[in-house]
Amino acid sequence: MLGNFDYVRAESVEHGCALLARTPGAAVLAGGTDLLVNIRNKAISPTLLVDFKGINEMGGIAFTDGVRIGANVPLNAIAEDQRIKTAYHALFEAATAVATYQVRNRATLAGNLGNASPAADTAPPLFVLDAHVEISGPDGTRRIPVRDLPVGVKKTALAPDEVITAVTLPPLATGVRTKFVKKQRIKGHDLAIINMAGYYDPSSGELRIAIGSCAPTPVLLPPLPEPVRRDDPLDDLTAALNRIAQEAVSPIDDLRASAAYRREMIPVFLRRILTALLHEGED
Amino acid sequence: MEQLIHITVNGTKEEARVPAGMTLLEFLRERLYLTGAKEGCGSGECGACTVILDGKAVTSCLVLAVEADGKEVWTVEGEASDGKLSAIQQAFIDEGAVQCGFCTPGMIMSARALLMRNPHPNDDEILEAMSGNLCRCTGYEPILAAVRRAAQQESEDVQDER
């Protein structure tokens, strides 16, 4: 027995949010791969789990203008979607980097964001892709940028009676490249020591970088003052971004790595990302 | 508060009243006495509790029994039929992929889920599918060989039937 709590399948988003609103200690159950572990470890003891998985409007991957990924979509469904692999490559790479194959059959993108771990692998790609979360509550639906969702370690901008119903990504300009990289202690299942995502639009020269596991929340770096060109010297670019990044992060020592190691890894991973974004596919 | 659930396990319809805090793993082991799936870590790291839920390999320690209401579950006990081991089970024996055996039911269910979605996996696909199953005895090479052999055997069996 994991704990002493009740369980209800929400019949609709409204029904589920009403339950969250009127039940002190209620929690949203998505894939459960973080929530149930936290209950087992007695880190939390919710009184009621509200399961939104049966709700149609919170499922499915819909390509319209950009893409809408329902909150109930498991990470493997994202990793196996060829359209996402092609259009939003960094998100594909991050989705396959989370935990293990079995866990990804349950764990959801929305859950990875809602859990608000500083190490959430899917957060840096969604930051650079300018993704939004669709949030429903008793007062209706609102949209906020994914980068505004986490406000601290395991803390989000969600009210207790709100639930993420979808993640939306804008369409990308032709030629845009995205890349995700992750440093972990072992090749298999491990949380990130550092993770990083990049976005580069060769036509405008816009470069975006987001770094995870190096601050209480993932960090979207402020932009470089000048557009980035493919033939900019890699050393100079890495150094310029590293200066910005070192200001923006505040890593800690933990069981996975020291703060100093994380700072040392930032330029290493910046260079890898820049190489992939600017030079991959060249002779 | 107990809840009434209906789950089809290895083709048999089961009905039970369970507390919300009971995991699918506990339901299988302690209510149905299907003790093939094991609890190793209890937190989705080791894969010893892997079963197939509506066609997907999942760690049953991280699924509530009430979440499985209305769904179909396959466990290692559903592998053998008419007293004959499945191709995957036989391949694990033939390749020496079993030592202590604790991880084996989970390994076999991850392999089964893989062959259900991809009957002809390459080595990378096998390794990805099995990456959530830890084994502390064999060193994994015999397990990889067993899944390779089982895929080969099952595709030959399918051809024989035609």
Side-chain angles (χ1 to χ4, degrees), chain A residues 76-96:
Chain A
N76 271 348
I78 294 167
E80 288 160 10
D81 192 305
Q82 284 303 319
R83 300 166 301 179
I84 289 190
K85 185 175 179 179
T86 308
Y88 304 101
H89 195 71
L91 177 60
F92 157 79
E93 292 176 298
T96 60

mmCIF file of all heavy atoms in Angstrom, chain A residues 76-96:
data_model
loop_
_atom_site.group_PDB
_atom_site.id
_atom_site.type_symbol
_atom_site.label_atom_id
_atom_site.label_comp_id
_atom_site.label_asym_id
_atom_site.label_seq_id
_atom_site.Cartn_x
_atom_site.Cartn_y
_atom_site.Cartn_z
ATOM 1 N N ASN A 76 6.619 8.461 -24.475
ATOM 2 C CA ASN A 76 6.945 7.579 -25.595
ATOM 3 C C ASN A 76 6.130 7.926 -26.842
ATOM 4 O O ASN A 76 6.622 7.756 -27.962
ATOM 5 C CB ASN A 76 6.722 6.114 -25.222
ATOM 6 C CG ASN A 76 7.969 5.496 -24.610
ATOM 7 O OD1 ASN A 76 9.049 6.082 -24.674
ATOM 8 N ND2 ASN A 76 7.823 4.332 -24.006
ATOM 9 N N ALA A 77 4.905 8.383 -26.654
ATOM 10 C CA ALA A 77 4.091 8.757 -27.815
ATOM 11 C C ALA A 77 4.700 9.976 -28.509
ATOM 12 O O ALA A 77 4.601 10.125 -29.730
ATOM 13 C CB ALA A 77 2.659 9.033 -27.391
ATOM 14 N N ILE A 78 5.333 10.850 -27.742
ATOM 15 C CA ILE A 78 6.015 12.016 -28.318
ATOM 16 C C ILE A 78 7.298 11.557 -29.016
ATOM 17 O O ILE A 78 7.580 11.949 -30.149
ATOM 18 C CB ILE A 78 6.328 13.038 -27.206
ATOM 19 C CG1 ILE A 78 5.010 13.593 -26.646
ATOM 20 C CG2 ILE A 78 7.233 14.160 -27.709
ATOM 21 C CD1 ILE A 78 5.158 14.370 -25.366
ATOM 22 N N ALA A 79 8.046 10.676 -28.342
ATOM 23 C CA ALA A 79 9.312 10.198 -28.907
ATOM 24 C C ALA A 79 9.095 9.401 -30.194
ATOM 25 O O ALA A 79 9.956 9.383 -31.066
ATOM 26 C CB ALA A 79 10.041 9.335 -27.876
ATOM 27 N N GLU A 80 7.927 8.747 -30.305
ATOM 28 C CA GLU A 80 7.672 7.891 -31.467
ATOM 29 C C GLU A 80 6.954 8.635 -32.600
ATOM 30 O O GLU A 80 6.686 8.057 -33.640
ATOM 31 C CB GLU A 80 6.851 6.671 -31.030
ATOM 32 C CG GLU A 80 7.669 5.690 -30.209
ATOM 33 C CD GLU A 80 6.826 4.743 -29.365
ATOM 34 O OE1 GLU A 80 5.587 4.709 -29.534
ATOM 35 O OE2 GLU A 80 7.415 4.059 -28.520
ATOM 36 N N ASP A 81 6.638 9.909 -32.392
ATOM 37 C CA ASP A 81 5.922 10.677 -33.412
ATOM 38 C C ASP A 81 6.934 11.273 -34.397
ATOM 39 O O ASP A 81 7.712 12.164 -34.039
ATOM 40 C CB ASP A 81 5.096 11.781 -32.746
ATOM 41 C CG ASP A 81 4.112 12.411 -33.715
ATOM 42 O OD1 ASP A 81 4.548 12.876 -34.794
ATOM 43 O OD2 ASP A 81 2.909 12.441 -33.409
ATOM 44 N N GLN A 82 6.913 10.772 -35.633
ATOM 45 C CA GLN A 82 7.917 11.193 -36.622
ATOM 46 C C GLN A 82 7.826 12.695 -36.914
ATOM 47 O O GLN A 82 8.825 13.344 -37.209
ATOM 48 C CB GLN A 82 7.750 10.403 -37.921
ATOM 49 C CG GLN A 82 8.274 8.975 -37.841
ATOM 50 C CD GLN A 82 9.748 8.894 -37.450
ATOM 51 O OE1 GLN A 82 10.577 9.685 -37.909
ATOM 52 N NE2 GLN A 82 10.090 7.966 -36.570
ATOM 53 N N ARG A 83 6.608 13.254 -36.840
ATOM 54 C CA ARG A 83 6.443 14.682 -37.129
ATOM 55 C C ARG A 83 7.164 15.524 -36.079
ATOM 56 O O ARG A 83 7.799 16.529 -36.384
ATOM 57 C CB ARG A 83 4.955 15.037 -37.164
ATOM 58 C CG ARG A 83 4.176 14.276 -38.225
ATOM 59 C CD ARG A 83 2.689 14.400 -37.996
ATOM 60 N NE ARG A 83 2.282 13.885 -36.683
ATOM 61 C CZ ARG A 83 1.025 13.889 -36.233
ATOM 62 N NH1 ARG A 83 0.054 14.396 -36.956
ATOM 63 N NH2 ARG A 83 0.740 13.400 -35.033
ATOM 64 N N ILE A 84 7.077 15.088 -34.821
ATOM 65 C CA ILE A 84 7.777 15.823 -33.753
ATOM 66 C C ILE A 84 9.284 15.648 -33.902
ATOM 67 O O ILE A 84 10.043 16.608 -33.762
ATOM 68 C CB ILE A 84 7.279 15.352 -32.366
ATOM 69 C CG1 ILE A 84 5.858 15.878 -32.184
ATOM 70 C CG2 ILE A 84 8.229 15.817 -31.257
ATOM 71 C CD1 ILE A 84 5.284 15.722 -30.827
ATOM 72 N N LYS A 85 9.700 14.438 -34.241
ATOM 73 C CA LYS A 85 11.136 14.174 -34.406
ATOM 74 C C LYS A 85 11.714 15.109 -35.482
ATOM 75 O O LYS A 85 12.821 15.622 -35.350
ATOM 76 C CB LYS A 85 11.346 12.706 -34.797
ATOM 77 C CG LYS A 85 12.796 12.308 -34.873
ATOM 78 C CD LYS A 85 12.948 10.813 -35.142
ATOM 79 C CE LYS A 85 14.417 10.449 -35.243
ATOM 80 N NZ LYS A 85 14.614 9.023 -35.475
ATOM 81 N N THR A 86 10.959 15.316 -36.551
ATOM 82 C CA THR A 86 11.431 16.166 -37.635
ATOM 83 C C THR A 86 11.340 17.651 -37.278
ATOM 84 O O THR A 86 12.305 18.398 -37.441
ATOM 85 C CB THR A 86 10.577 15.911 -38.906
ATOM 86 O OG1 THR A 86 10.566 14.510 -39.152
ATOM 87 C CG2 THR A 86 11.141 16.640 -40.106
ATOM 88 N N ALA A 87 10.186 18.066 -36.774
ATOM 89 C CA ALA A 87 9.938 19.501 -36.609
ATOM 90 C C ALA A 87 10.538 20.058 -35.319
ATOM 91 O O ALA A 87 11.002 21.197 -35.300
ATOM 92 C CB ALA A 87 8.439 19.762 -36.643
ATOM 93 N N TYR A 88 10.484 19.264 -34.245
ATOM 94 C CA TYR A 88 10.906 19.780 -32.927
ATOM 95 C C TYR A 88 11.935 18.809 -32.355
ATOM 96 O O TYR A 88 11.680 18.112 -31.364
ATOM 97 C CB TYR A 88 9.701 19.915 -31.999
ATOM 98 C CG TYR A 88 8.601 20.788 -32.558
ATOM 99 C CD1 TYR A 88 7.459 20.248 -33.136
ATOM 100 C CD2 TYR A 88 8.707 22.182 -32.503
ATOM 101 C CE1 TYR A 88 6.453 21.056 -33.647
ATOM 102 C CE2 TYR A 88 7.704 23.000 -33.005
ATOM 103 C CZ TYR A 88 6.584 22.435 -33.574
ATOM 104 O OH TYR A 88 5.598 23.235 -34.080
ATOM 105 N N HIS A 89 13.087 18.734 -33.007
ATOM 106 C CA HIS A 89 14.031 17.648 -32.727
ATOM 107 C C HIS A 89 14.497 17.629 -31.265
ATOM 108 O O HIS A 89 14.646 16.563 -30.668
ATOM 109 C CB HIS A 89 15.233 17.743 -33.671
ATOM 110 C CG HIS A 89 16.042 16.488 -33.702
ATOM 111 N ND1 HIS A 89 15.587 15.322 -34.287
ATOM 112 C CD2 HIS A 89 17.249 16.195 -33.166
ATOM 113 C CE1 HIS A 89 16.491 14.378 -34.131
ATOM 114 N NE2 HIS A 89 17.517 14.878 -33.452
ATOM 115 N N ALA A 90 14.716 18.812 -30.698
ATOM 116 C CA ALA A 90 15.204 18.854 -29.310
ATOM 117 C C ALA A 90 14.175 18.245 -28.352
ATOM 118 O O ALA A 90 14.547 17.598 -27.367
ATOM 119 C CB ALA A 90 15.513 20.293 -28.899
ATOM 120 N N LEU A 91 12.900 18.441 -28.633
ATOM 121 C CA LEU A 91 11.865 17.854 -27.771
ATOM 122 C C LEU A 91 11.880 16.334 -27.896
ATOM 123 O O LEU A 91 11.768 15.615 -26.898
ATOM 124 C CB LEU A 91 10.485 18.410 -28.132
ATOM 125 C CG LEU A 91 9.322 17.806 -27.341
ATOM 126 C CD1 LEU A 91 9.493 18.040 -25.845
ATOM 127 C CD2 LEU A 91 7.990 18.356 -27.829
ATOM 128 N N PHE A 92 12.048 15.846 -29.131
ATOM 129 C CA PHE A 92 12.190 14.395 -29.339
ATOM 130 C C PHE A 92 13.377 13.851 -28.537
ATOM 131 O O PHE A 92 13.263 12.856 -27.829
ATOM 132 C CB PHE A 92 12.365 14.107 -30.838
ATOM 133 C CG PHE A 92 13.039 12.795 -31.132
ATOM 134 C CD1 PHE A 92 12.334 11.603 -31.068
ATOM 135 C CD2 PHE A 92 14.394 12.760 -31.450
ATOM 136 C CE1 PHE A 92 12.961 10.393 -31.317
ATOM 137 C CE2 PHE A 92 15.025 11.552 -31.700
ATOM 138 C CZ PHE A 92 14.311 10.364 -31.635
ATOM 139 N N GLU A 93 14.516 14.542 -28.642
ATOM 140 C CA GLU A 93 15.710 14.055 -27.933
ATOM 141 C C GLU A 93 15.505 14.045 -26.425
ATOM 142 O O GLU A 93 15.923 13.121 -25.727
ATOM 143 C CB GLU A 93 16.924 14.931 -28.287
ATOM 144 C CG GLU A 93 17.370 14.787 -29.729
ATOM 145 C CD GLU A 93 18.516 15.735 -30.063
ATOM 146 O OE1 GLU A 93 18.333 16.970 -29.976
ATOM 147 O OE2 GLU A 93 19.594 15.245 -30.428
ATOM 148 N N ALA A 94 14.832 15.073 -25.909
ATOM 149 C CA ALA A 94 14.605 15.151 -24.462
ATOM 150 C C ALA A 94 13.595 14.099 -24.015
ATOM 151 O O ALA A 94 13.749 13.491 -22.951
ATOM 152 C CB ALA A 94 14.124 16.549 -24.087
ATOM 153 N N ALA A 95 12.568 13.879 -24.840
ATOM 154 C CA ALA A 95 11.540 12.895 -24.452
ATOM 155 C C ALA A 95 12.149 11.507 -24.315
ATOM 156 O O ALA A 95 11.750 10.738 -23.437
ATOM 157 C CB ALA A 95 10.399 12.885 -25.466
ATOM 158 N N THR A 96 13.133 11.184 -25.168
ATOM 159 C CA THR A 96 13.761 9.858 -25.078
ATOM 160 C C THR A 96 14.804 9.795 -23.963
ATOM 161 O O THR A 96 15.274 8.710 -23.631
ATOM 162 C CB THR A 96 14.456 9.461 -26.396
ATOM 163 O OG1 THR A 96 15.468 10.429 -26.680
ATOM 164 C CG2 THR A 96 13.482 9.407 -27.548
#
